[in-house]
Amino acid sequence: MAAVISFAGVLTSGKPLGGQTAVIVGSRAPGRPWLDLAWQVFAVVTALVPVVLVGHLLARGRESLRTIGFDLQQRWRDLGRGTAIAAVIGGAGLLFYIGAHAAGVNLTVDPSQLPDYWWRIPILFAVSAQNAVLEEVIVLGYLNHRLDQLGWSVRRATATSALLRGSYHLYQGLGGFAGNVIMGVIFTYLYRRWGRVMPLVVAHTLIDTTALIGATYLLGKVSWLPS
């Protein structure tokens, strides 16, 4: 709902989508580094509370997060698979974003506006990991697991998971929505094939880390990246 409301504001602002900016990680206390750091850490930790809830709900049914493959039992295989996925999806996603921005259907995404303090890179990595765990555990693993238990078809469950993923990226524009729907379909296929969310958590973390940290140093310095 927050993304839909944000997108409605973008559409009614009277400005073209490409002329507006969506900031992913910004300062929470400008000019006050220690207070800013405290807020950043607080935001990362509290955002993961729904994952704890998912663990509790699975435990009530005599299951666990291991049921959806969120564990370290296959750490090296998960790391290898996740790295390969990140390379393919990340590269394709960047091209898709540049194309969507050029077509005027996406906002200019500014991944990070954090000030240059010592904790900037660690926080960007923490945010990347938090986003990956939150989305893949809940929207990918848990949602598909529960929909399977309810007797939904694979196609219907996949569409629901992918559309949900796309919907909360609407704040980035139609390009962000479409790109994440496609990513959701691919991730759901791979989750069902492997029975594990961990490779997708790794992939998502690497994609977001590259985007957040890369943009911090490249935005405004290279001509091919919208700024």
Side-chain angles (χ1 to χ4, degrees), residues 1 12 16 67 91 109 111 128-129 137 167 174 198 223:
M1 286 304 301
T12 56
T67 303
V109 177
S128 300
V137 168
S167 70
L174 296 176
M198 207 61 187
S223 59

Side-chain angles (χ1 to χ4, degrees), residues 38-181:
W39 276 118
Q40 299 292 343
V41 173
F42 176 78
V44 169
V45 173
T46 53
L48 291 173
V49 170
V51 176
V52 178
L53 176 60
V54 163
H56 168 70
L57 294 175
L58 286 169
R60 289 180 61 184
R62 297 184 178 181
E63 298 176 304
S64 69
L65 290 171
R66 185 174 295 177
T67 303
I68 59 175
F70 185 65
D71 56 49
L72 298 176
Q73 287 189 327
Q74 301 179 29
R75 60 178 68 88
W76 296 115
R77 177 178 291 182
D78 292 338
L79 179 61
R81 286 172 168 174
T83 302
I85 297 166
V88 176
I89 298 294
L94 177 59
L95 293 176
F96 190 91
Y97 163 65
I98 293 174
H101 186 273
V105 296
N106 213 79
L107 282 74
T108 299
V109 177
D110 187 346
S112 171
Q113 288 189 355
L114 289 181
D116 189 14
Y117 298 129
W118 64 267
W119 47 259
R120 178 169 63 177
I121 299 303
I123 285 295
L124 291 177
F125 178 76
V127 170
S128 300
Q130 169 243 295
N131 287 337
V133 171
L134 185 67
E135 293 187 37
E136 306 314 332
V137 168
I138 298 177
V139 180
L140 181 62
Y142 184 68
L143 178 59
N144 278 284
H145 180 62
R146 288 304 194 212
L147 293 181
D148 287 348
Q149 292 177 326
L150 290 171
W152 284 40
S153 68
V154 171
R155 182 175 297 180
R156 186 182 177 195
T158 298
T160 299
S161 177
L163 288 171
L164 176 59
R165 184 189 295 265
S167 70
Y168 57 75
H169 286 91
L170 262 175
Y171 71 94
Q172 298 177 9
L174 296 176
F177 169 79
N180 278 279
V181 168

Side-chain angles (χ1 to χ4, degrees), residues 188-206:
T188 302
Y189 169 78
L190 294 175
Y191 164 67
R192 290 185 176 278
R193 181 180 177 87
W194 296 328
R196 297 182 58 76
V197 299
M198 207 61 187
L200 293 316
V201 171
V202 171
H204 195 149
T205 301
L206 291 175

